[in-house]
Amino acid sequence: MTNIKDLAKMAGVSVTTVSRVLNNHPYVREDKRNAVLEAINRSNYQPNINAVHLSTGKSFLVGVVVPYIDHPYFALLIKGMASEALENNYKLVLFQTNYLETREIEALQMLKQKQIDALIICSRKCSWSTIEAYLLYGPIILCEDTRGKRVSSTFVDHYKSFMIALEHLYQKGHRKIGYCIGRKSGTNSRQRELAFKDFVENYHLPYEPAYIFEHCTHFEDGEQVIERIQQMSNPPSALLVTSDEVAAGIVTCAQNRNISIPGDLALLGFNNQPIAKMMNITTIEIPLVDIGRKLFLQGINISKEAAYQEIPVTLIERETV
Amino acid sequence: MTNIKDLAKMAGVSVTTVSRVLNNHPYVREDKRNAVLEAINRSNYQPNINAVHLSTGKSFLVGVVVPYIDHPYFALLIKGMASEALENNYKLVLFQTNYLETREIEALQMLKQKQIDALIICSRKCSWSTIEAYLLYGPIILCEDTRGKRVSSTFVDHYKSFMIALEHLYQKGHRKIGYCIGRKSGTNSRQRELAFKDFVENYHLPYEPAYIFEHCTHFEDGEQVIERIQQMSNPPSALLVTSDEVAAGIVTCAQNRNISIPGDLALLGFNNQPIAKMMNITTIEIPLVDIGRKLFLQGINISKEAAYQEIPVTLIERETV
DNA sequence: TTGTACGCGTTATCAT
DNA sequence: ATGATAACGCGTACAA
């Protein structure tokens, strides 16, 4: 493999000059520049990126922490980040954690080791203090409300949006409301739980733990939701479903069992994924791809101050409520 | 940031000794080892990975080229690769290409620049000769039949599996058979097209181009398939659908329009994704996660010879044929 | 068993 | 405008 030393020799100049033309620096005479350029062509030279990284201390790599990638929510976030990464000549390094803290720490370590320039954590298991300890090694961006903390974030106010959804259901006459969620822990989930509790309290509705369905992440999880509802003596009349994917699964399963939607069960999804449009699912639109883009941009932004971008959501009325 | 030089000074040894304990090499006396270990603790030392990479010429990074990540087919492949990467202490660098050749070449370039140790191409736009030119810079693994070429691959014989599926439909009495596919170009798609043509020829069936539906990748694409079928005067009685996701979309849309499955239209999906099980879709099982694992392993395997792993598929009969 | 010294390929500093 | 040369941080012959 030819390196800049070889090029210098071939072009009859110094390595400095080679480096200058390579990086489009000024102060190099036209003829010398051409000589270098020609040497590059003749030699099919490729810079050794690792040497560049060592020398510059930058890697143009941004880490992305997600629990799973085969999940539309995260896939859409990544899609947004990937496209923005491309724009800015960065690459994405993927950390699929399955919510294992050790793997999250691995990602944090890579930041510390300078193998990545920034780390975007889309969802996490680890505590806030764990993250805090790594803050001095590089930008860490979160996809949750971090106002008051010294970290940038792009997020939706899940308390607020859950409340909007719940109020909508209430206005439509529903009093027995439940919700489906991926996992109960997690910052965003706790926000939603809080909203739910406040809601039932405000409207003097009973708080019914059986109306909360955990482990709802994929389409096929809709089946168990329907099954459990069918076994209830006093089932909910409406469900908030934190992913349209799951809502679609519920709709499908309900159809097979002659459960009328929204007659027997009203459904309000989240994200406004394409599947929601096709299946006419009422939903809260969350621009995930756009959030992904913004997260990435925050990651490579060198401003010292933490920025908090709240993304507004909108209710899209269709036919499942 | 402290480096091994500092550690050496602190521990009163040479950098070599420090490097030895860092990399668990033999030939270092216990007391010196402890001295180094203690220095590491006191200093919260972190190795600069980029320096390691430059020195060793390895990066423990493997590139993955996919057209889209928000697609279950690729998401499942990546899932498999990610888990195997974790096992082996590698990280994945994602290239989302949207089937743009320039982006594929970028990935190839990173291999040439040694920023990644290997490149796995899950699906491509670029020509074989383009890839061939980069073969000398590191392992390139493909997810398509490469027998006869000097590249390793893990693949399913799409000709064969398409034929299995077609024969099954034929045995069930179908004579007007069509199929849905993501894109018509691409090695795998052409294999399937070939199978389809051979099939209709063997059984003296008419070749009906209108029975081939392109751009079928997501759940919601099922809608347009149904729409087009409904407009046909002589519609197909059975469809091969190269993704269960799409098959599920077709089923859902068909239900809404009172089209009986399999009565009016038989459906045979591919992959055996969880959604297929839930919706009772007859399908060809393709172990995508497993294929992802094997692709990754081939990437980091240093054997000089190309290996070709054909993955067998199995027909799973359910209720849509 | 240990340490010196050099190589990895590039960028940056500074003198010319 | 140009070129030595010193970092960058680590691994590793080779000598001791």
Side-chain angles (χ1 to χ4, degrees), chain A residues 88-111:
Chain A
N88 295 274
N89 261 308
Y90 278 78
K91 301 285 174 282
L92 255 33
V93 177
L94 217 54
F95 296 88
Q96 187 188 32
T97 64
N98 293 315
Y99 282 127
L100 257 44
E101 188 166 358
T102 53
R103 305 196 186 162
E104 296 176 358
I105 291 177
E106 263 187 59
L108 259 1
Q109 287 286 348
M110 277 187 65
L111 185 65

PDB file of all heavy atoms in Angstrom, chain A residues 88-111:
ATOM      1  N   ASN A  88     -23.453  14.308   6.131  1.00  0.00           N
ATOM      2  CA  ASN A  88     -22.330  14.953   6.810  1.00  0.00           C
ATOM      3  C   ASN A  88     -21.058  14.118   6.835  1.00  0.00           C
ATOM      4  O   ASN A  88     -20.153  14.375   7.620  1.00  0.00           O
ATOM      5  CB  ASN A  88     -22.744  15.295   8.251  1.00  0.00           C
ATOM      6  CG  ASN A  88     -23.847  16.326   8.286  1.00  0.00           C
ATOM      7  OD1 ASN A  88     -23.587  17.522   8.255  1.00  0.00           O
ATOM      8  ND2 ASN A  88     -25.094  15.864   8.307  1.00  0.00           N
ATOM      9  N   ASN A  89     -21.064  13.083   5.986  1.00  0.00           N
ATOM     10  CA  ASN A  89     -19.862  12.275   5.876  1.00  0.00           C
ATOM     11  C   ASN A  89     -19.488  11.506   7.132  1.00  0.00           C
ATOM     12  O   ASN A  89     -18.313  11.236   7.369  1.00  0.00           O
ATOM     13  CB  ASN A  89     -18.688  13.151   5.450  1.00  0.00           C
ATOM     14  CG  ASN A  89     -18.434  13.019   3.972  1.00  0.00           C
ATOM     15  OD1 ASN A  89     -18.309  11.895   3.480  1.00  0.00           O
ATOM     16  ND2 ASN A  89     -18.414  14.136   3.276  1.00  0.00           N
ATOM     17  N   TYR A  90     -20.475  11.203   7.913  1.00  0.00           N
ATOM     18  CA  TYR A  90     -20.247  10.365   9.085  1.00  0.00           C
ATOM     19  C   TYR A  90     -20.746   8.949   8.823  1.00  0.00           C
ATOM     20  O   TYR A  90     -21.506   8.709   7.892  1.00  0.00           O
ATOM     21  CB  TYR A  90     -20.986  10.934  10.299  1.00  0.00           C
ATOM     22  CG  TYR A  90     -20.251  12.044  11.008  1.00  0.00           C
ATOM     23  CD1 TYR A  90     -20.236  13.330  10.490  1.00  0.00           C
ATOM     24  CD2 TYR A  90     -19.583  11.802  12.195  1.00  0.00           C
ATOM     25  CE1 TYR A  90     -19.571  14.359  11.139  1.00  0.00           C
ATOM     26  CE2 TYR A  90     -18.919  12.811  12.858  1.00  0.00           C
ATOM     27  CZ  TYR A  90     -18.915  14.094  12.322  1.00  0.00           C
ATOM     28  OH  TYR A  90     -18.253  15.086  12.980  1.00  0.00           O
ATOM     29  N   LYS A  91     -20.297   8.033   9.652  1.00  0.00           N
ATOM     30  CA  LYS A  91     -20.833   6.682   9.618  1.00  0.00           C
ATOM     31  C   LYS A  91     -21.423   6.360  10.981  1.00  0.00           C
ATOM     32  O   LYS A  91     -21.049   6.961  11.988  1.00  0.00           O
ATOM     33  CB  LYS A  91     -19.730   5.682   9.293  1.00  0.00           C
ATOM     34  CG  LYS A  91     -19.038   5.938   7.967  1.00  0.00           C
ATOM     35  CD  LYS A  91     -19.895   5.537   6.790  1.00  0.00           C
ATOM     36  CE  LYS A  91     -19.252   5.933   5.474  1.00  0.00           C
ATOM     37  NZ  LYS A  91     -19.413   7.367   5.172  1.00  0.00           N
ATOM     38  N   LEU A  92     -22.331   5.411  10.967  1.00  0.00           N
ATOM     39  CA  LEU A  92     -23.000   5.006  12.198  1.00  0.00           C
ATOM     40  C   LEU A  92     -22.455   3.671  12.705  1.00  0.00           C
ATOM     41  O   LEU A  92     -22.321   2.729  11.944  1.00  0.00           O
ATOM     42  CB  LEU A  92     -24.494   4.844  11.905  1.00  0.00           C
ATOM     43  CG  LEU A  92     -25.485   5.885  12.383  1.00  0.00           C
ATOM     44  CD1 LEU A  92     -24.890   7.275  12.373  1.00  0.00           C
ATOM     45  CD2 LEU A  92     -26.737   5.841  11.531  1.00  0.00           C
ATOM     46  N   VAL A  93     -22.166   3.624  13.978  1.00  0.00           N
ATOM     47  CA  VAL A  93     -21.795   2.345  14.592  1.00  0.00           C
ATOM     48  C   VAL A  93     -22.948   1.891  15.480  1.00  0.00           C
ATOM     49  O   VAL A  93     -23.386   2.616  16.364  1.00  0.00           O
ATOM     50  CB  VAL A  93     -20.513   2.469  15.434  1.00  0.00           C
ATOM     51  CG1 VAL A  93     -20.199   1.143  16.109  1.00  0.00           C
ATOM     52  CG2 VAL A  93     -19.360   2.906  14.569  1.00  0.00           C
ATOM     53  N   LEU A  94     -23.391   0.693  15.206  1.00  0.00           N
ATOM     54  CA  LEU A  94     -24.610   0.214  15.848  1.00  0.00           C
ATOM     55  C   LEU A  94     -24.336  -0.575  17.120  1.00  0.00           C
ATOM     56  O   LEU A  94     -23.482  -1.448  17.148  1.00  0.00           O
ATOM     57  CB  LEU A  94     -25.324  -0.705  14.857  1.00  0.00           C
ATOM     58  CG  LEU A  94     -26.827  -0.633  14.834  1.00  0.00           C
ATOM     59  CD1 LEU A  94     -27.269   0.803  14.634  1.00  0.00           C
ATOM     60  CD2 LEU A  94     -27.334  -1.505  13.708  1.00  0.00           C
ATOM     61  N   PHE A  95     -25.066  -0.259  18.166  1.00  0.00           N
ATOM     62  CA  PHE A  95     -24.993  -1.060  19.384  1.00  0.00           C
ATOM     63  C   PHE A  95     -26.385  -1.611  19.682  1.00  0.00           C
ATOM     64  O   PHE A  95     -27.268  -0.870  20.090  1.00  0.00           O
ATOM     65  CB  PHE A  95     -24.526  -0.216  20.566  1.00  0.00           C
ATOM     66  CG  PHE A  95     -23.143   0.311  20.411  1.00  0.00           C
ATOM     67  CD1 PHE A  95     -22.917   1.521  19.772  1.00  0.00           C
ATOM     68  CD2 PHE A  95     -22.054  -0.398  20.884  1.00  0.00           C
ATOM     69  CE1 PHE A  95     -21.635   2.015  19.618  1.00  0.00           C
ATOM     70  CE2 PHE A  95     -20.771   0.088  20.732  1.00  0.00           C
ATOM     71  CZ  PHE A  95     -20.564   1.297  20.095  1.00  0.00           C
ATOM     72  N   GLN A  96     -26.537  -2.879  19.479  1.00  0.00           N
ATOM     73  CA  GLN A  96     -27.819  -3.522  19.783  1.00  0.00           C
ATOM     74  C   GLN A  96     -27.707  -4.096  21.187  1.00  0.00           C
ATOM     75  O   GLN A  96     -26.984  -5.060  21.425  1.00  0.00           O
ATOM     76  CB  GLN A  96     -28.087  -4.621  18.762  1.00  0.00           C
ATOM     77  CG  GLN A  96     -29.470  -5.225  18.884  1.00  0.00           C
ATOM     78  CD  GLN A  96     -29.640  -6.432  17.983  1.00  0.00           C
ATOM     79  OE1 GLN A  96     -28.687  -7.167  17.722  1.00  0.00           O
ATOM     80  NE2 GLN A  96     -30.853  -6.655  17.486  1.00  0.00           N
ATOM     81  N   THR A  97     -28.408  -3.505  22.119  1.00  0.00           N
ATOM     82  CA  THR A  97     -28.139  -3.847  23.525  1.00  0.00           C
ATOM     83  C   THR A  97     -29.083  -4.867  24.130  1.00  0.00           C
ATOM     84  O   THR A  97     -28.753  -5.447  25.165  1.00  0.00           O
ATOM     85  CB  THR A  97     -28.253  -2.584  24.393  1.00  0.00           C
ATOM     86  OG1 THR A  97     -29.604  -2.110  24.335  1.00  0.00           O
ATOM     87  CG2 THR A  97     -27.315  -1.507  23.895  1.00  0.00           C
ATOM     88  N   ASN A  98     -30.250  -5.059  23.550  1.00  0.00           N
ATOM     89  CA  ASN A  98     -31.265  -5.889  24.209  1.00  0.00           C
ATOM     90  C   ASN A  98     -31.515  -5.425  25.632  1.00  0.00           C
ATOM     91  O   ASN A  98     -31.847  -6.225  26.505  1.00  0.00           O
ATOM     92  CB  ASN A  98     -30.853  -7.360  24.226  1.00  0.00           C
ATOM     93  CG  ASN A  98     -30.832  -7.953  22.834  1.00  0.00           C
ATOM     94  OD1 ASN A  98     -31.753  -7.740  22.060  1.00  0.00           O
ATOM     95  ND2 ASN A  98     -29.770  -8.650  22.501  1.00  0.00           N
ATOM     96  N   TYR A  99     -31.302  -4.161  25.861  1.00  0.00           N
ATOM     97  CA  TYR A  99     -31.455  -3.581  27.204  1.00  0.00           C
ATOM     98  C   TYR A  99     -30.522  -4.225  28.226  1.00  0.00           C
ATOM     99  O   TYR A  99     -30.881  -4.360  29.390  1.00  0.00           O
ATOM    100  CB  TYR A  99     -32.907  -3.679  27.678  1.00  0.00           C
ATOM    101  CG  TYR A  99     -33.804  -2.630  27.059  1.00  0.00           C
ATOM    102  CD1 TYR A  99     -34.977  -2.984  26.423  1.00  0.00           C
ATOM    103  CD2 TYR A  99     -33.465  -1.283  27.109  1.00  0.00           C
ATOM    104  CE1 TYR A  99     -35.807  -2.023  25.847  1.00  0.00           C
ATOM    105  CE2 TYR A  99     -34.285  -0.326  26.536  1.00  0.00           C
ATOM    106  CZ  TYR A  99     -35.442  -0.691  25.907  1.00  0.00           C
ATOM    107  OH  TYR A  99     -36.248   0.259  25.349  1.00  0.00           O
ATOM    108  N   LEU A 100     -29.364  -4.627  27.772  1.00  0.00           N
ATOM    109  CA  LEU A 100     -28.356  -5.116  28.714  1.00  0.00           C
ATOM    110  C   LEU A 100     -27.409  -3.975  29.052  1.00  0.00           C
ATOM    111  O   LEU A 100     -26.757  -3.410  28.174  1.00  0.00           O
ATOM    112  CB  LEU A 100     -27.566  -6.284  28.094  1.00  0.00           C
ATOM    113  CG  LEU A 100     -27.948  -7.679  28.590  1.00  0.00           C
ATOM    114  CD1 LEU A 100     -29.466  -7.829  28.655  1.00  0.00           C
ATOM    115  CD2 LEU A 100     -27.355  -8.737  27.693  1.00  0.00           C
ATOM    116  N   GLU A 101     -27.316  -3.701  30.320  1.00  0.00           N
ATOM    117  CA  GLU A 101     -26.532  -2.539  30.732  1.00  0.00           C
ATOM    118  C   GLU A 101     -25.071  -2.669  30.314  1.00  0.00           C
ATOM    119  O   GLU A 101     -24.433  -1.697  29.930  1.00  0.00           O
ATOM    120  CB  GLU A 101     -26.628  -2.344  32.246  1.00  0.00           C
ATOM    121  CG  GLU A 101     -25.998  -1.048  32.706  1.00  0.00           C
ATOM    122  CD  GLU A 101     -26.374  -0.689  34.141  1.00  0.00           C
ATOM    123  OE1 GLU A 101     -27.149  -1.440  34.748  1.00  0.00           O
ATOM    124  OE2 GLU A 101     -25.875   0.331  34.631  1.00  0.00           O
ATOM    125  N   THR A 102     -24.547  -3.883  30.370  1.00  0.00           N
ATOM    126  CA  THR A 102     -23.136  -4.075  30.023  1.00  0.00           C
ATOM    127  C   THR A 102     -22.858  -3.597  28.597  1.00  0.00           C
ATOM    128  O   THR A 102     -21.804  -3.042  28.312  1.00  0.00           O
ATOM    129  CB  THR A 102     -22.750  -5.552  30.118  1.00  0.00           C
ATOM    130  OG1 THR A 102     -23.669  -6.318  29.343  1.00  0.00           O
ATOM    131  CG2 THR A 102     -22.785  -6.020  31.561  1.00  0.00           C
ATOM    132  N   ARG A 103     -23.828  -3.809  27.731  1.00  0.00           N
ATOM    133  CA  ARG A 103     -23.600  -3.412  26.337  1.00  0.00           C
ATOM    134  C   ARG A 103     -23.709  -1.904  26.170  1.00  0.00           C
ATOM    135  O   ARG A 103     -23.055  -1.318  25.323  1.00  0.00           O
ATOM    136  CB  ARG A 103     -24.617  -4.102  25.436  1.00  0.00           C
ATOM    137  CG  ARG A 103     -24.557  -5.603  25.637  1.00  0.00           C
ATOM    138  CD  ARG A 103     -25.227  -6.352  24.549  1.00  0.00           C
ATOM    139  NE  ARG A 103     -25.241  -7.770  24.887  1.00  0.00           N
ATOM    140  CZ  ARG A 103     -26.044  -8.673  24.337  1.00  0.00           C
ATOM    141  NH1 ARG A 103     -26.891  -8.274  23.394  1.00  0.00           N
ATOM    142  NH2 ARG A 103     -25.987  -9.921  24.668  1.00  0.00           N
ATOM    143  N   GLU A 104     -24.536  -1.322  26.980  1.00  0.00           N
ATOM    144  CA  GLU A 104     -24.621   0.136  26.949  1.00  0.00           C
ATOM    145  C   GLU A 104     -23.301   0.729  27.404  1.00  0.00           C
ATOM    146  O   GLU A 104     -22.807   1.716  26.844  1.00  0.00           O
ATOM    147  CB  GLU A 104     -25.769   0.612  27.837  1.00  0.00           C
ATOM    148  CG  GLU A 104     -27.126   0.151  27.332  1.00  0.00           C
ATOM    149  CD  GLU A 104     -28.286   0.524  28.244  1.00  0.00           C
ATOM    150  OE1 GLU A 104     -28.032   1.127  29.310  1.00  0.00           O
ATOM    151  OE2 GLU A 104     -29.425   0.222  27.906  1.00  0.00           O
ATOM    152  N   ILE A 105     -22.728   0.102  28.391  1.00  0.00           N
ATOM    153  CA  ILE A 105     -21.449   0.594  28.906  1.00  0.00           C
ATOM    154  C   ILE A 105     -20.338   0.422  27.878  1.00  0.00           C
ATOM    155  O   ILE A 105     -19.471   1.280  27.737  1.00  0.00           O
ATOM    156  CB  ILE A 105     -21.113  -0.117  30.229  1.00  0.00           C
ATOM    157  CG1 ILE A 105     -22.099   0.369  31.309  1.00  0.00           C
ATOM    158  CG2 ILE A 105     -19.678   0.157  30.652  1.00  0.00           C
ATOM    159  CD1 ILE A 105     -21.931  -0.287  32.642  1.00  0.00           C
ATOM    160  N   GLU A 106     -20.412  -0.673  27.143  1.00  0.00           N
ATOM    161  CA  GLU A 106     -19.457  -0.854  26.047  1.00  0.00           C
ATOM    162  C   GLU A 106     -19.477   0.339  25.103  1.00  0.00           C
ATOM    163  O   GLU A 106     -18.435   0.827  24.663  1.00  0.00           O
ATOM    164  CB  GLU A 106     -19.836  -2.094  25.247  1.00  0.00           C
ATOM    165  CG  GLU A 106     -19.082  -3.338  25.612  1.00  0.00           C
ATOM    166  CD  GLU A 106     -19.420  -4.459  24.653  1.00  0.00           C
ATOM    167  OE1 GLU A 106     -19.202  -4.280  23.443  1.00  0.00           O
ATOM    168  OE2 GLU A 106     -19.911  -5.500  25.117  1.00  0.00           O
ATOM    169  N   ALA A 107     -20.666   0.766  24.777  1.00  0.00           N
ATOM    170  CA  ALA A 107     -20.812   1.907  23.873  1.00  0.00           C
ATOM    171  C   ALA A 107     -20.205   3.153  24.505  1.00  0.00           C
ATOM    172  O   ALA A 107     -19.469   3.907  23.863  1.00  0.00           O
ATOM    173  CB  ALA A 107     -22.281   2.139  23.550  1.00  0.00           C
ATOM    174  N   LEU A 108     -20.502   3.332  25.765  1.00  0.00           N
ATOM    175  CA  LEU A 108     -19.941   4.470  26.496  1.00  0.00           C
ATOM    176  C   LEU A 108     -18.407   4.411  26.480  1.00  0.00           C
ATOM    177  O   LEU A 108     -17.723   5.420  26.306  1.00  0.00           O
ATOM    178  CB  LEU A 108     -20.440   4.422  27.946  1.00  0.00           C
ATOM    179  CG  LEU A 108     -21.590   5.309  28.446  1.00  0.00           C
ATOM    180  CD1 LEU A 108     -22.182   6.204  27.386  1.00  0.00           C
ATOM    181  CD2 LEU A 108     -22.655   4.508  29.131  1.00  0.00           C
ATOM    182  N   GLN A 109     -17.897   3.205  26.635  1.00  0.00           N
ATOM    183  CA  GLN A 109     -16.444   3.027  26.627  1.00  0.00           C
ATOM    184  C   GLN A 109     -15.844   3.426  25.277  1.00  0.00           C
ATOM    185  O   GLN A 109     -14.766   4.010  25.221  1.00  0.00           O
ATOM    186  CB  GLN A 109     -16.092   1.559  26.916  1.00  0.00           C
ATOM    187  CG  GLN A 109     -16.300   1.156  28.366  1.00  0.00           C
ATOM    188  CD  GLN A 109     -15.240   1.716  29.294  1.00  0.00           C
ATOM    189  OE1 GLN A 109     -14.225   2.236  28.842  1.00  0.00           O
ATOM    190  NE2 GLN A 109     -15.493   1.630  30.590  1.00  0.00           N
ATOM    191  N   MET A 110     -16.533   3.095  24.220  1.00  0.00           N
ATOM    192  CA  MET A 110     -16.005   3.456  22.903  1.00  0.00           C
ATOM    193  C   MET A 110     -15.895   4.965  22.753  1.00  0.00           C
ATOM    194  O   MET A 110     -15.024   5.463  22.061  1.00  0.00           O
ATOM    195  CB  MET A 110     -16.866   2.861  21.795  1.00  0.00           C
ATOM    196  CG  MET A 110     -16.499   1.419  21.510  1.00  0.00           C
ATOM    197  SD  MET A 110     -17.347   0.745  20.075  1.00  0.00           S
ATOM    198  CE  MET A 110     -16.701   1.733  18.740  1.00  0.00           C
ATOM    199  N   LEU A 111     -16.809   5.646  23.396  1.00  0.00           N
ATOM    200  CA  LEU A 111     -16.724   7.110  23.373  1.00  0.00           C
ATOM    201  C   LEU A 111     -15.473   7.552  24.131  1.00  0.00           C
ATOM    202  O   LEU A 111     -14.712   8.406  23.677  1.00  0.00           O
ATOM    203  CB  LEU A 111     -17.972   7.703  24.032  1.00  0.00           C
ATOM    204  CG  LEU A 111     -18.092   9.222  23.980  1.00  0.00           C
ATOM    205  CD1 LEU A 111     -18.240   9.700  22.549  1.00  0.00           C
ATOM    206  CD2 LEU A 111     -19.263   9.708  24.811  1.00  0.00           C
TER     207      LEU A 111
END
